[in-house]
Amino acid sequence: MPVLETQNLTHIFPDGTAAIQDISLRINAGEFIVIAGANGSGKTVFIRHLNGLLVPTSGRVLIDGEPIGKNITAARQKIGLIFQDSDSQIVGQTVAEDVAFGPENLNLPREEVERIVPEALAAVGLSDLAAQSPHTLSGGQKRKLAVAGILAMRPEIIIFDEPFTGLDYPGVVQVLRQIVQLHQAGHTIVVITHELEKVLAHADRLAIFCRGRLAENGAPENIVIRAENYGIRLPLRHGGTVGELTWLR
Amino acid sequence: MAPVTFFHCIPRDTLLHRMDARLKLLCLVLLSVAVSFAVAPAHYLAALCAVMAALFTAELPLPALLKDMKIFGVIIAIVLVVDAFSIPGPPIPNFPVPGVSLPGVVTGLRFAGRLTIIIMACAVMTGTTSLLTFKNVVEWYLRPVPFIPEARVAMMINLTFVFIPLIFDQYVEMMSAQKARCADLRKNPIRRISFIVLPLLSRTLRRTDEIVYAMEARCYSETRTRPRFKTHPADWLILAAAAAALVFILYYPCA
Ligand SMILES: Nc1ncnc2c1ncn2[C@@H]1O[C@H](COP(=O)(O)OP(=O)(O)OP(=O)(O)O)[C@@H](O)[C@H]1O
Ligand SMILES: [Mg+2]
């Protein structure tokens, strides 16, 4: 049984924009999925349905076979979302306080919060910066902080919305290494990006969105050759293989 | 942004930094009340001693604080001059400037003394307390107040402190971007302001939407883990000292 499944998901905004239409996608436990698509193809809108931030116009989202509406807090705890813009995701005045935000929302005992926060910071390698203001962090560090804030809630599935935008080469490598580590630790990973050359080698599956619809969905090596039809740069040179598509070495 | 030492937490490991911020705030209130009752020079001396003691205990950089107090110096000088001329009474004997009354000068000096001491006390408070702790204290004091959702107020304070620098950065960036396109050649100031304010507002609103989503994604709730405070025995002694200053000023005879 898939951990996460959408059935005929459609979202039409009040202004009439059909941001996503009829999307059915299954995500299995432990999988690493890359979702690609041109600007405005509906990727962000889609993943915001996966933890109930947006309510679909029609269709539904199932978590472990149960409709998401049954226990929305449990869903949000289980499915961690890393936003495209880390700056709006950071709500703490210090790095440690920001990580504590989620556990405090869950009303965990203070002792437990004080145990979880250093663990989450250590997991992303930000322990030394715990007392700093998030404002002073680099782009890569901010994204790691967002990951720590999600890890502190012990999610099973972690979704990254464009985790590489605005990062320099070391920043991309840092974040990518983090993602791969999380996958190896047993998390189910969904990465949204159109920069396939940075990450596709690690993926089990590639899905491509086009104008709000799920256009392709399957093994990366079968799909990637058609990427250019959907406004995504073809990352392979002639004769190259998907295994080369990573910025980790 | 220019580095401001005033009203900014300066992390140190001192008695006052470790002090329970709830009691610290109470001390500040007691001291401010005491100073507002101060009349005789002995009163001012007592309050000044208390504040100076706090300032040295907190190891705050005095020269930097004095420099930042210049702006308040201007306000104090204006009030002093206005009081001296506007409050009626007998003139000061042998004073070269005509129209200056004795009660005016006395009132002005008292005001100046009060303001200086209160500002210094506030500087000690903010210099030894992080905004985070401050927010927690406000939340704690609001808890018994009915009809005020203290968790929400605390979150609002928190978000203000977190996002004002971001919005300010954005403002600076947009200003430079517009200068690069020669926006300063525009003569009409209202047009010029609207070019900044409207986009800034729309971007801030859009960002607000994102923040709301981000907070919801992390299960935002108002029944949350409460902050913890630690009270040391020394904190009660400091509170007692502040209370003693108040009692002294209330009961020591006016000269
Ligand atoms: N609140 C909204 N109201 C109306 N239309 C919206 C809203 N949010 C998004 N849209 C529209 O929905 C469509 C999909 O947007 P979405 O943000 O999901 O794209 P995306 O694939 O994430 O693109 P990008 O790569 O730029 O992040 C776009 O056409 C967008 O204009
Ligand atoms: Mg997007």
Side-chain angles (χ1 to χ4, degrees), chain A residues 48 53-54 76 83 85 87 89-91 93 97-98 101 104-105 107-108 110-111 114 135 153, chain B residues 131-132 135 155 158 162 166 169 207 210 213-214 216 218-221 223-228:
Chain A
R48 286 189 177 177
L53 291 178
L54 290 176
R76 286 177 183 165
F83 281 58
D85 172 20
D87 270 337
Q89 192 170 16
I90 297 172
V91 295
Q93 287 173 38
E97 197 221 358
D98 186 73
F101 179 73
E104 282 178 0
N105 286 333
N107 205 7
L108 300 180
R110 176 58 54 189
E111 297 73 43
E114 280 170 7
H135 201 50
M153 302 181 73
Chain B
L131 289 173
L132 176 59
K135 175 205 88 178
M155 186 48 68
N158 184 53
V162 171
L166 287 183
D169 280 358
R207 166 161 269 161
E210 286 291 303
Y213 278 133
E216 265 193 59
R218 287 164 80 186
C219 303
Y220 179 64
S221 137
T223 34
R224 28 192 309 113
T225 314
R226 292 180 161 183
R228 193 161 56 189

Side-chain angles (χ1 to χ4, degrees), chain A residues 13 15 17 19 37-46 84 162 194:
Chain A
F13 281 104
D15 65 359
T17 318
N39 289 138
S41 57
K43 308 175 300 280
T44 300
V45 171
F46 174 68
Q84 210 161 342
E162 311 263 9
H194 42 246

Side-chain angles (χ1 to χ4, degrees), chain B residues 166-186:
Chain B
L166 287 183
I167 293 171
F168 185 78
D169 280 358
Q170 203 151 69
Y171 166 78
V172 170
E173 203 177 297
M174 287 169 69
M175 277 296 264
S176 346
Q178 301 210 349
K179 268 210 198 105
R181 289 163 64 193
C182 297
D184 40 356
L185 294 184
R186 292 251 177 188

Side-chain angles (χ1 to χ4, degrees), chain A residues 215-238:
Chain A
E216 300 276 358
N217 177 18
E221 53 275 17
N222 301 338
I223 306 286
V224 70
I225 39 177
R226 294 197 289 273
E228 219 146 65
N229 303 348
Y230 306 104
I232 304 159
R233 191 179 86 90
L234 184 68
L236 283 179
R237 268 166 303 168
H238 189 69

